[in-house]
């Protein structure tokens, strides 16, 4: 199998994520499995389809619900959740397509600071 990842993935990063389908109205919460500069892998019980676009709100530890940074992402892969092994839970890998003005820099600095200060291994 050829490794296609361009960016390191981080687990146990103190951020939360809410997502809303591009043409949707309400946000849903999702559990982050890993995150990188290029995208995010989440666990959800919601119906998510491959190639759908979502607006993400990524909130660093301690920020308010409506704050944080905003990004647009595309569902790239969906996998069964073999950890929970039920019929509704799944993992979805989303690729970041764009960030709001200046927010990619904030996000990159956050991940770099997390790496340098936490001692957490890069996955």
């Amino acid at each position: 199998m050829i490794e296609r990842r361009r960016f390191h993935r981080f687990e146990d990063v103190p951020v939360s994520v809410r997502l809303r389908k591009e043409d949707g109205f309400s946000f849903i919460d999702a559990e982050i499995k890993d995150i990188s500069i290029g995208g995010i892998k989440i666990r959800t019980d919601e119906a998510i389809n491959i190639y759908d676009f979502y607006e993400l709100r990524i909130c660093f530890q301690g920020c308010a619900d409506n704050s944080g940074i905003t990004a647009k992402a595309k569902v790239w892969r969906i996998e069964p959740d073999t950890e929970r092994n039920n019929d509704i839970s799944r993992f979805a890998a989303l690729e970041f397509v764009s960030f709001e003005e200046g927010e990619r820099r904030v996000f990159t600095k956050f991940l770099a600071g997390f790496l340098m200060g936490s001692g957490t291994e890069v996955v």
Side-chain angles (χ1 to χ4, degrees):
M1 181 181 213
I2 297 173
E3 179 65 46
R4 295 183 305 187
R5 260 183 223 108
R6 295 184 306 165
F7 305 106
H8 292 294
R9 294 183 302 161
F10 301 89
E11 293 181 333
D12 301 321
V13 177
V15 297
S16 61
V17 66
R18 305 184 83 210
L19 60 151
R20 174 175 61 191
K21 194 167 181 177
E22 191 173 45
D23 57 358
F25 297 104
S26 59
F27 281 91
I28 57 171
D29 294 316
E31 176 186 345
I32 295 177
K33 292 303 288 178
D34 62 55
I35 194 166
S36 77
I37 299 300
I40 189 168
K41 183 177 180 182
I42 61 168
R43 172 187 275 152
T44 184
D45 293 341
E46 299 293 328
I48 289 183
N49 297 309
I50 196 162
Y51 307 130
D52 282 351
F53 287 89
Y54 284 85
E55 176 186 343
L56 305 180
R57 290 222 179 125
I58 301 167
C59 187
F60 305 124
Q61 188 173 13
C63 72
D65 283 344
N66 291 330
S67 62
I69 62 173
T70 302
K72 184 176 177 181
K74 177 182 178 181
V75 179
W76 195 248
R77 186 177 67 250
I78 299 173
E79 305 168 0
D81 183 351
T82 57
E83 295 172 13
R84 290 191 179 159
N85 200 22
N86 62 32
D87 291 335
I88 59 172
S89 184
R90 67 194 53 82
F91 292 115
L94 293 94
E95 177 183 25
F96 295 130
V97 176
S98 64
F99 281 83
E100 292 292 321
E101 180 84 25
E103 292 188 347
R104 181 178 290 277
R105 187 178 69 245
V106 171
F107 181 65
T108 302
K109 285 178 72 174
F110 172 78
L111 285 183
F114 178 76
L115 175 63
M116 300 305 286
S118 70
T120 300
E121 290 184 38
V122 176
V123 178

